[in-house]
Amino acid sequence: MLMISKRGQEMPPSPIRKLVPFAEAAKKKGIKVYHLNIGQPDIETPAPMLDAVRHIDFKVLEYSHSAGNESYRRKLVDYYAQCGIAINHQQIIVTTGGSEAILFGFMACLDPGDEVIIPEPFYANYNGFAVAAGVHVVPITSYIETGFALPAISDFEQSITPRTKAIVICNPNNPTGYLYSREEMETLKAICLKHNLYLFADEAYREFCYEGTHFSAMQLEGVDEHVVLMDTISKRYSACGARIGALVTRNQAVLDAVMKFAQARLSPPGLAQVAAEAAIDLPAHYFDATKEEYRKRRETLVTRLNAMEGVFCPNPGGAFYAIARLPIDDADKFCQWLLEDFSFRNQTVMLAPATGFYGTAGLGKQEVRLAYVLNTTDINAAMDCLEAALKTYNNK
Amino acid sequence: MLMISKRGQEMPPSPIRKLVPFAEAAKKKGIKVYHLNIGQPDIETPAPMLDAVRHIDFKVLEYSHSAGNESYRRKLVDYYAQCGIAINHQQIIVTTGGSEAILFGFMACLDPGDEVIIPEPFYANYNGFAVAAGVHVVPITSYIETGFALPAISDFEQSITPRTKAIVICNPNNPTGYLYSREEMETLKAICLKHNLYLFADEAYREFCYEGTHFSAMQLEGVDEHVVLMDTISKRYSACGARIGALVTRNQAVLDAVMKFAQARLSPPGLAQVAAEAAIDLPAHYFDATKEEYRKRRETLVTRLNAMEGVFCPNPGGAFYAIARLPIDDADKFCQWLLEDFSFRNQTVMLAPATGFYGTAGLGKQEVRLAYVLNTTDINAAMDCLEAALKTYNNK
């Protein structure tokens, strides 16, 4: 009998995708399912990106440079400059999605048995990359009552051990939508300096801030050696399927180590780099319309949720997610029930149970994550379903 | 002082790419460099693949299924059937290049400290994926005198320990070009059955066989649990930059485990899957012209090499590589010298020192790998350079 590896056994299945079979069964019964469960926006990928791909004129789809096409990296320098981030093209390694940037960062900076601190709830796939790298995730709880603000310094310091090597921060946050303030980022800087930790900053949703402005970890001063930015074009340009991201840092040793992992996998996707490069030339106002659309959706979603009896949803400052506390016993059971046993006007809604985003067992049982990736009409229809569902569920 | 991880330090740099700065310097001096050092073919990517990309009509570049688009996987079933490999679409997980298939296979089947046996010389990036997975590569030497045939069973059995979990075979072989016979594949099967090992089969060059036919590890009977195929479209369709591969196995537990790693990174590249799917519809005779071209190149290369004094190059049965033994002291020094200090009619040739393909230190010092990815005119010019270089080098 051949065995799967221990890490293959420990690897967590996607908590978001485990309900997919129930959604498929509902659809087979003719029920319309509103997908608020996953961060796949319905926003159109900018036409100039797809047009650039339509007009490729090379004859051989060759390997690109392992760090990504130099022309693209040079353009990214301009993009980051506009975000207030000063770097050069040799400080950028283009990756296969933000996913690979996270994996490369973990691989190059952390060893098996090392610990990485992450405020929970957090993006569930950090668990997967941690298992792949043999690293232990140490969660520090943030709370819905404060809108999931950064936990207190004392919470971090109590969790730091000799094996702690890094903190991961996702800003604006998936799954909470929380936008960290400059003061909170400075707090993280102080912790990282004091305890000699890497600060891995996942800024996939940088453009989507609705209250205040984004302050990047790369804008912190005096921590050039510590900060490793994990980035992606997936959400920014609604190009999730492109699989183009970037690892950015001013730490030369990290760049050198990551480059060896990048060389082993040869190169990031070539066709998608053409689309990604075209994105840099989008007019500056491109994000205005998209942001305005998300802002409307957020308002619709949060207003509707807070109007429901027993529901609490803090207003998220960024990204396109919100976490709501519902008057339910068990979010996993409830989300499955929504798909399996419930419909309202032949419609239902698919949500992500928040339990999958907590590292601490037992947390998030009354919480769900909602991605406002549908238009306001659909969000309203989804909220009609949820409102009716909560009445039914609690009267069962 | 922040530290790079141990695995980040141990990660080997690409032995092929380390000479790149010397090639760039030569070009800056106005010297033409013939690149026989890397498996980047000059063959045109089939027009229908690039045309399919030019005609994309979707508006949102969404995540695909984590296992790859079902439409593509179903078409791959037909492709494999034509290769004599019977599988269904649920036994295929589309990956980001063959690279990711190798990494996923190692991650899902092997634990840190486990050992994997690989006949050397072998594809150098196996080392990188092994370091990423914490796995030890145990090389078993194959020899130029036998054309790099499979080592004897006794060599395998002497290397098997309680930590041995798998054998990797690349067929046809990169870097040797050796095409394993059915008998040799049956030998591997017997070893894997007797010692309960996985058989990881890298068949990136399946189509390029010039003597005899390819016998896939997936055609072995009675080892469905053992065989994991790592595949890629990179070489088959000269689409290295697409980054589309596949992991194929009939072992359900491996599929389940790999699927979790696939979900963590969300999906393989979307645009490239469009190109890959179009490739399956290429006419059956597509490979005829390509194979004929490679066959001519091989003959030119091998004939020229063996006509040089003191040079021996076994005739490779497949892929588009050959390893030659040269009358030199040190392949690394020689290959660098070719770029740094030599030119012939203002031209020179870039080769890959074979040392980078051996796991055993000290082996391959008189050997180089040549990739016949240039047309015969260029190969002849490159051989003129090499012939002149050998005379000069040894009279220094």
Side-chain angles (χ1 to χ4, degrees), chain A residues 3 5-8 11 17 40 45 54 56 59 61 63 66 107-108 110-111 133 198 241 260 263 270, chain B residues 3 5-8 11 17 40 45 54 56 59 61 63 66 107-108 110-111 133 198 235 241 260 270:
Chain A
M3 295 294 290
S5 66
K6 281 188 209 78
R7 84 181 126 213
M11 189 76 185
R17 300 197 179 204
Q40 170 57 62
T45 310
R54 290 186 185 109
I56 50 170
K59 302 213 160 169
L61 181 47
Y63 290 123
S66 293
M107 283 281 177
L110 311 174
D111 272 308
Y198 285 105
K260 294 189 287 183
Q263 285 182 345
Chain B
M3 294 294 290
S5 65
K6 282 189 208 77
R7 84 181 125 211
M11 190 76 184
R17 301 198 178 203
Q40 170 58 63
T45 310
R54 291 186 184 109
I56 50 170
K59 301 211 161 170
L61 181 47
Y63 290 122
S66 294
M107 283 281 177
L110 311 175
D111 273 307
Y198 285 105
K235 314 296 174 166
K260 294 189 286 182

Side-chain angles (χ1 to χ4, degrees), chain B residues 33-153:
Chain B
V33 179
Y34 291 104
H35 283 275
L36 299 184
N37 60 302
I38 193 164
Q40 170 58 63
D42 65 345
I43 303 282
E44 287 186 10
T45 310
M49 290 177 68
L50 298 179
D51 284 344
V53 173
R54 291 186 184 109
H55 291 101
I56 50 170
D57 63 356
F58 52 75
K59 301 211 161 170
V60 186
L61 181 47
E62 296 186 352
Y63 290 122
S64 73
H65 191 293
S66 294
N69 292 326
E70 188 175 323
S71 56
Y72 176 43
R73 283 181 287 138
R74 286 187 181 275
K75 281 200 166 187
L76 275 175
V77 170
D78 296 337
Y79 162 77
Y80 285 114
Q82 285 162 24
C83 301
I85 299 170
I87 41 142
N88 65 52
H89 78 279
Q90 291 176 312
Q91 295 169 328
I92 302 171
I93 294 175
V94 177
T95 55
T96 306
S99 305
E100 193 180 61
I102 299 165
L103 182 66
F104 281 177
F106 281 14
M107 283 281 177
C109 301
L110 311 175
D111 273 307
D114 282 350
E115 294 168 7
V116 55
I117 291 177
I118 316 183
E120 65 180 354
F122 57 79
Y123 177 56
N125 286 324
Y126 295 148
N127 283 319
F129 301 119
V131 170
V135 169
H136 299 304
V137 172
V138 176
I140 300 188
T141 309
S142 68
Y143 296 92
I144 197 167
E145 289 78 10
T146 63
F148 301 104
L150 193 71
I153 292 188

Side-chain angles (χ1 to χ4, degrees), chain B residues 258-319:
Chain B
V258 168
M259 197 57 201
K260 294 189 286 182
F261 289 91
Q263 285 183 344
R265 62 72 162 124
L266 306 168
S267 69
L271 292 166
Q273 285 184 75
V274 173
E277 189 167 331
I280 313 285
D281 293 327
L282 288 168
H285 60 76
Y286 163 71
F287 292 110
D288 296 348
T290 311
K291 249 175 76 171
E292 191 46 40
E293 176 62 26
Y294 281 127
R295 191 193 302 269
K296 268 195 298 188
R297 294 173 178 192
R298 178 187 66 142
E299 188 171 335
T300 302
L301 182 84
V302 174
T303 306
R304 286 294 307 269
L305 284 166
N306 283 315
M308 295 178 204
E309 196 183 330
V311 174
F312 171 57
C313 179
N315 195 29

Side-chain angles (χ1 to χ4, degrees), chain B residues 159-181:
Chain B
S159 297
I160 290 171
T161 77
R163 293 309 301 261
T164 308
K165 293 287 156 57
I167 295 171
V168 175
I169 196 83
C170 179
N171 185 28
N173 192 272
N174 173 10
T176 68
Y178 187 79
L179 176 65
Y180 294 94
S181 67

Side-chain angles (χ1 to χ4, degrees), chain A residues 39 85 101 128 152-153 190 205 236 276 347 383:
Chain A
I85 299 170
I153 292 189
Y205 301 90
R236 189 180 305 155
Q347 303 183 333
M383 290 303 100

